[in-house]
Amino acid sequence: MGTDRVFNFSAGPSMLPLEVLERAGSEITDYQGSGMSVMEMSHRSKVFQKIFDDAQAKFRRLLKVPEDYQILFLQGGASTQFSAVPLNLIGRTGKADYAVTGNFSNIAYKEAKKYGEIRLAASSADRDHTYIPAQEQLDLDPQASYFYYCSNNTIYGTEWQYVPQVGDVPLVCDMSSDILSRPVDVSKYGVIFAGAQKNMAPAGLTVVIVKKELAGRELPYTPLMLGYKTMIDKDSMYNTPPCWCIYILGLVLDWLESKGGVEGMEAIKHGKAQMLYDTIDSSRLFHCAVEKGSRSDMNVVFRTGSDELDAKFVSEATAAGFTNLKGHRSVGGMRASIYNAMPVEGVEKLCGFIKAFDKNN
Ligand SMILES: *Cc1c(COP(=O)(O)O)cnc(C)c1O
């Protein structure tokens, strides 16, 4: 099994560990003697409840989520949280601060404006989102109901290397593309959310970690399904949760634990990214526009400066078994997404391919 697999550098949905796919495959028609697939089970059954509880407990253990935080397994993607965050949190003062460092934080910022007075606390648009603003550059309002940022900018290839210090204002973070790649001090946050399809599980699951004391003060017209209180009270089972994705998440968390957890993963992913950046920086043809100190360990963007040569690179790479290296349509160039499941070997081989292309063109 798995011999024809490519090195898939997709930004998301993206690679899952081979062990996880094989395990899911072996259990697909009969989950542990239940006589049925996880896809066919009632979410209220004992068998599924155990899958759910185990996944939640493993997540709590791996990311060291304190007991006063609820881990929710929801649907709607990270994008639904762009609305859920202001609806649930802005009621306290009617104001919120946003740091816009890329595409998704910009969408979140625009969406939040429907619900209150939203300030731009920082922006990296002046230099095409090639850097992360420093702490001193954050323009903070102590009256804000929360401060919002996106820890890893999937399209622009930048990543916050520090946790913003915002006083008593609750921190809200979109960690869709770097969650579980490094330790996080969850106690510094009010809400953390992430779509699963980058670093955790198949598309269809959104993990939301909420400090429980912040829930229950949603705007009166908040849709029932977007209220954190609704989902906290029912432990994510107000309606049918994304059962299959939660099961796969559990398998991914077992795999992560075998790799040394998020602490182990931090060293591995940093080594992979460093190897790729070194290869790009020392090449003749390729360059990475992202400033050192702001570069993402998850999404590595690079280009040659010639659209023609970029296209040639992408097509030759695809033929050689390195797929989905084309950059996002809004920025062009190339992007190698090297999430947790990308083996070190995949990055080593890609570096070899880049070096050969650099020599031959
Ligand atoms: C992919 C992505 C999103 C959008 O996620 P959906 O689950 O498709 O809504 C939001 N934020 C970040 C940082 C992303 O990488």
Side-chain angles (χ1 to χ4, degrees):
M1 221 190 202
T3 46
D4 292 336
R5 284 172 61 80
V6 293
F7 289 114
N8 176 8
F9 292 90
S10 170
S14 43
M15 281 187 87
L16 286 165
L18 184 58
E19 295 95 309
V20 167
L21 296 176
E22 287 177 339
R23 168 89 185 271
S26 76
E27 295 178 334
I28 200 154
T29 57
D30 178 8
Y31 176 76
Q32 298 189 2
S34 66
M36 61 180 89
S37 172
V38 175
M39 282 187 255
E40 303 170 301
M41 277 173 195
S42 165
H43 59 294
R44 309 278 178 206
S45 66
K46 257 198 191 134
V47 188
F48 183 74
Q49 188 67 52
K50 182 162 178 358
I51 293 172
F52 183 99
D53 292 343
D54 285 353
Q56 205 181 38
K58 280 182 262 185
F59 196 98
R60 189 177 292 282
R61 192 165 70 234
L62 281 162
L63 212 58
K64 299 189 173 66
V65 179
E67 285 302 323
D68 54 333
Y69 288 74
Q70 184 90 13
I71 300 165
L72 299 173
F73 294 148
L74 308 180
Q75 305 195 43
S79 303
T80 294
Q81 295 305 311
F82 299 166
S83 322
V85 164
L87 282 164
N88 281 279
L89 303 184
I90 208 162
R92 196 164 56 87
T93 65
K95 305 199 282 182
D97 277 356
Y98 276 66
V100 172
T101 55
N103 172 68
F104 294 110
S105 45
N106 192 38
I107 298 173
Y109 167 68
K110 288 191 288 189
E111 176 66 9
K113 283 183 169 184
K114 294 177 185 168
Y115 305 111
E117 202 182 308
I118 308 299
R119 281 173 71 255
L120 197 55
S123 167
S124 53
D126 58 333
R127 278 183 268 143
D128 295 330
H129 298 307
T130 53
Y131 73 103
I132 295 294
Q135 173 72 41
E136 312 80 70
Q137 291 172 289
L138 307 179
D139 172 21
L140 302 170
D141 175 5
Q143 288 303 309
S145 293
Y146 61 91
F147 174 92
Y148 180 104
Y149 76 112
C150 173
S151 56
N152 185 73
N153 298 285
T154 321
I155 294 176
Y156 292 93
T158 60
E159 189 171 19
W160 290 67
Q161 310 294 353
Y162 70 98
V163 178
Q165 286 174 30
V166 294
D168 294 333
V169 172
L171 261 186
V172 174
C173 188
D174 175 358
M175 292 193 188
S176 293
S177 49
D178 67 353
I179 195 159
L180 301 179
S181 74
R182 56 180 177 181
V184 171
D185 183 352
V186 176
S187 71
K188 288 185 174 167
Y189 293 84
V191 173
I192 292 169
F193 66 88
Q197 69 273 25
K198 314 289 165 62
N199 220 8
M200 294 194 282
L205 165 68
T206 312
V207 176
V208 183
I209 306 167
V210 191
K211 190 170 195 176
K212 284 186 241 180
E213 66 178 35
L214 293 177
R217 277 177 282 170
E218 66 277 3
L219 296 177
Y221 49 81
T222 301
L224 174 68
M225 286 294 295
L226 295 193
Y228 292 148
K229 189 78 171 48
T230 308
M231 289 301 183
I232 290 172
D233 287 350
K234 298 286 183 198
D235 201 6
S236 303
M237 294 227 209
Y238 185 82
N239 69 328
T240 317
C243 303
W244 172 258
C245 299
I246 294 167
Y247 159 67
I248 299 288
L249 172 65
L251 299 184
V252 169
L253 296 174
D254 286 341
W255 171 85
L256 187 64
E257 201 146 47
S258 77
K259 300 280 172 194
V262 291
E263 292 79 9
M265 198 44 71
E266 182 174 42
I268 297 171
K269 63 105 190 187
H270 194 61
K272 286 189 295 187
Q274 219 37 61
M275 197 192 326
L276 197 43
Y277 284 119
D278 286 348
T279 302
I280 293 161
D281 287 342
S282 59
S283 76
R284 196 172 40 87
L285 281 180
F286 300 96
H287 69 275
C288 168
V290 178
E291 290 178 13
K292 287 180 181 162
S294 296
R295 290 178 170 185
S296 167
D297 279 353
M298 298 278 106
N299 312 94
V300 177
V301 295
F302 57 106
R303 59 175 72 229
T304 62
S306 146
D307 289 347
E308 213 174 33
L309 211 48
D310 286 352
K312 184 169 186 249
F313 176 85
V314 170
S315 110
E316 288 182 12
T318 307
F322 307 101
T323 67
N324 289 308
L325 283 165
K326 197 170 186 307
H328 190 268
R329 60 189 180 281
S330 63
V331 296
M334 278 79 72
R335 170 175 55 176
S337 296
I338 48 173
Y339 300 120
N340 288 355
M342 172 59 67
V344 174
E345 185 202 356
V347 178
E348 280 169 356
K349 292 200 164 149
L350 176 64
C351 288
F353 182 84
I354 292 173
K355 284 178 190 156
F357 189 92
D358 191 51
K359 213 170 123 206
N360 299 334
N361 285 274

